[in-house]
Amino acid sequence: MSGDTGKPNFKGRRLFLGAAAALPATSVLGAKPPHGQPSVPPSAKSVLDTKHSACDAQRGKHKFDADVIVIGAGFAGVTAARELGVEGNKVILLEASTRLGGRTYSGHFAGQNVEYGGAWVHWAEPHVWAEVERYGHGVEEEQIANVDRALVMLPDGRVKELTTEQLDAYDKDGMDKFTAGARELFPRPYEPLTNPKVRELENISAADHIAKLGLNEVQTAILNAEMTLYGAGPISEYSYLAFVKCFSCMSWDYYTFNDADRRYRIGKGGTLGLLKSMIQHSKAEVRFSSAVNQVRQERDHVIVTTEDGRKVTARAVVVTVPTNTYKRIQFIPALSPAKRKYIDQGEMSNGAKVFVQLEKNYGNTFAFCADPNPLTVVQTIKNSDEVGTILSITPGRRKLIDINDADEVEKQVQRLFPNAKLVGLSGYDWANDPYSQQAWGAYRVGQMSLAQELAVPEGRVFLAGASTAGGLNEYIDGAVESGLRAGRQVRELFSRSPA
């Protein structure tokens, strides 16, 4: 951890710092959670029901530590642990960091509850919405429904100020053209390869597709920013079909997609609150600071080895780590060639999350910033004469800006809000966290059909995580979907080979 203490380490001016700002770009989530936030609810720490499965009776014979080992405590891992734990299986959940959440991260900034990773949910997302309802968390609404100022930054840095009606019209027209034919391409979007034409088109990039649409410069800039956001990298590398699939999962509807994309957050504690409810229900034993470096599969069990040399055995393992961290784990025997090809390619997702507080009240603003401008999407989450303006910023191409340099961030913000003065800054750099090495899951051109191979079991080894989902691979919903599927697959294995 390079001696990281979890203390602020910002370049330039010293500002009011929020929760995740206390973790610099070189730090890891192993640092003490900011503002005294508990890394896990006390009820989830090594809580085990003594009555688990029939395998308990034979554990002395087989010397298995659990029925199932789950690797990774994000939404995929916690969902899988809950699915298998509530059925009486003994589940050990190994998490490399010191907290629940994976690539979600609930925190506080400038008096606001904020999310530094995955955030927004919607009733059109069936899997995560079921969890929100199951545990009674509800949602909180963002200010975006009442935007009074709209900005679009063109690739050359010029800023166009639009009415909200103009932004909506430009955005909808461009999106309608970009996603034309979506219903035919993805008639069953949670089974994306149903239409064989998908395989024929998966080498088309978002940039290639935009170039054919005949849009004006403002519409082109808006779509450029949208695709940079979703791809979290150059749109010349981002799969056109990857976005269209996500759009199709929202009932092929522009308005539903926009609401799901940035309007409603999980209530009652945010993503961490929902994860606490799920893990408490699971009765899983959670072991933090347990990074895994080997998964060995034997005839009737698996052996998982952590980086500090500890070994844990079980009848099956569910691996839910982000795609770009799979190279940290040795699989014996090796994963299938198709899985290894996808893992070797990696995902392009180089995004981050930043919150800033401006001294003045600039109104309720929404902005798209086309690549190569680094801020990508900017959204007001709070504004008043008392607090000034609090912005949520999602840089799609993290490499274009040092989110820990207050002067640099202020300079970029001033391109949208001239002479703005930053009084607070907080952010998280997902691509530089060794236990994520990426933000949300984003398919490169040619990866969609290959990604579906990740969901295929390999004996007693099961892969989950948002990127393995059939549907919303860039959302929390995809993570939950994958955890449900992995739970089902493990149950099927156990039904064929009972303990």
Side-chain angles (χ1 to χ4, degrees), residues 34 49 61 207 234:
D49 186 355
K61 176 182 176 181

Side-chain angles (χ1 to χ4, degrees), residues 106-426:
S106 299
H108 307 281
F109 172 70
Q112 307 300 307
N113 296 323
V114 295
E115 297 285 351
Y116 292 90
W120 293 288
V121 297
H122 192 274
W123 46 92
E125 301 169 11
H127 306 98
V128 69
W129 191 257
E131 303 301 332
V132 169
E133 285 294 302
R134 183 197 302 260
Y135 298 106
H137 280 261
V139 294
E140 298 174 355
E141 189 168 357
E142 302 279 20
Q143 288 191 179
I144 194 168
N146 301 303
V147 168
D148 53 36
R149 188 171 183 233
L151 304 173
V152 177
M153 186 179 289
L154 305 182
D156 62 9
R158 288 177 293 145
V159 177
K160 300 286 187 177
E161 182 157 359
L162 311 177
T163 66
T164 55
E165 291 77 16
Q166 287 173 320
L167 179 66
D168 287 345
Y170 278 142
D171 189 31
K172 185 177 187 305
D173 183 59
M175 191 68 73
D176 285 349
K177 290 175 179 175
F178 190 90
T179 61
R183 188 183 290 267
E184 290 72 34
L185 274 172
F186 296 103
R188 290 153 57 179
Y190 282 85
E191 300 173 52
L193 303 183
T194 299
N195 183 348
K197 194 168 181 64
V198 168
R199 294 182 185 271
E200 299 172 17
L201 299 177
E202 67 175 338
N203 286 316
I204 298 174
S205 73
D208 292 337
H209 193 60
I210 291 173
K212 298 175 182 178
L213 301 180
L215 303 175
N216 65 39
E217 66 175 0
V218 176
Q219 288 177 304
T220 300
I222 291 170
L223 267 181
N224 176 304
E226 287 269 25
M227 297 308 120
T228 302
L229 174 72
Y230 272 78
I235 64 175
S236 59
E237 299 177 23
Y238 180 51
S239 167
Y240 142 67
L241 286 183
F243 181 86
V244 176
K245 182 188 73 162
C246 288
F247 178 85
S248 299
C249 287
M250 306 298 183
S251 301
W252 311 277
D253 180 74
Y254 167 81
Y255 298 103
T256 304
F257 175 82
N258 271 358
D259 276 357
D261 190 45
R262 53 182 74 97
R263 184 166 178 175
Y264 301 101
R265 290 184 293 129
I266 298 170
K268 296 183 180 178
T271 55
L272 179 61
L274 181 56
L275 286 161
K276 287 179 180 180
S277 296
M278 296 171 72
I279 201 67
Q280 184 171 1
H281 188 189
S282 77
K283 294 185 172 63
E285 176 185 350
V286 183
R287 298 182 183 178
F288 292 99
S289 301
S290 297
V292 169
N293 64 5
Q294 187 183 93
V295 173
R296 177 186 291 273
Q297 184 172 187
E298 303 290 352
R299 183 184 62 81
D300 62 348
H301 67 286
V302 293
I303 305 169
V304 174
T305 305
T306 59
E307 290 182 351
D308 60 4
R310 289 174 293 165
K311 296 184 185 298
V312 190
T313 59
R315 300 170 63 202
V317 62
V318 179
V319 184
T320 73
V321 300
T323 302
N324 288 355
T325 68
Y326 267 90
K327 293 178 182 179
R328 296 175 62 113
I329 303 174
Q330 178 188 26
F331 289 87
I332 304 173
L335 296 175
S336 69
K339 290 185 177 67
R340 295 202 306 272
K341 181 178 179 180
Y342 186 88
I343 291 166
D344 288 343
Q345 289 178 355
E347 291 175 357
M348 58 189 294
S349 190
N350 187 240
K353 191 70 175 182
V354 182
F355 294 94
V356 302
Q357 183 177 15
L358 308 182
E359 187 175 53
K360 288 178 57 178
N361 179 1
Y362 289 93
N364 189 4
T365 305
F366 185 87
F368 284 116
C369 302
D371 188 40
N373 302 295
L375 301 188
T376 313
V377 173
V378 179
Q379 176 177 334
T380 300
I381 61 172
K382 180 76 173 179
N383 67 287
S384 70
D385 292 340
E386 290 72 31
V387 303
T389 305
I390 301 173
L391 301 174
S392 166
I393 302 174
T394 310
R397 294 188 63 189
R398 166 63 184 82
K399 292 180 180 179
L400 298 179
I401 186 170
D402 183 350
I403 65 171
N404 293 309
D405 188 327
D407 292 328
E408 183 178 347
V409 173
E410 182 181 72
K411 180 180 178 180
Q412 293 298 330
V413 169
Q414 286 174 344
R415 299 172 72 194
L416 295 171
F417 304 92
N419 302 313
K421 180 180 179 182
L422 262 68
V423 294
L425 171 63
S426 179

Side-chain angles (χ1 to χ4, degrees), residues 17-40:
L17 301 174
L23 296 175
T26 55
S27 74
V28 299
L29 294 182
K32 181 180 179 181
H35 284 197
Q37 177 180 303
S39 58
V40 65

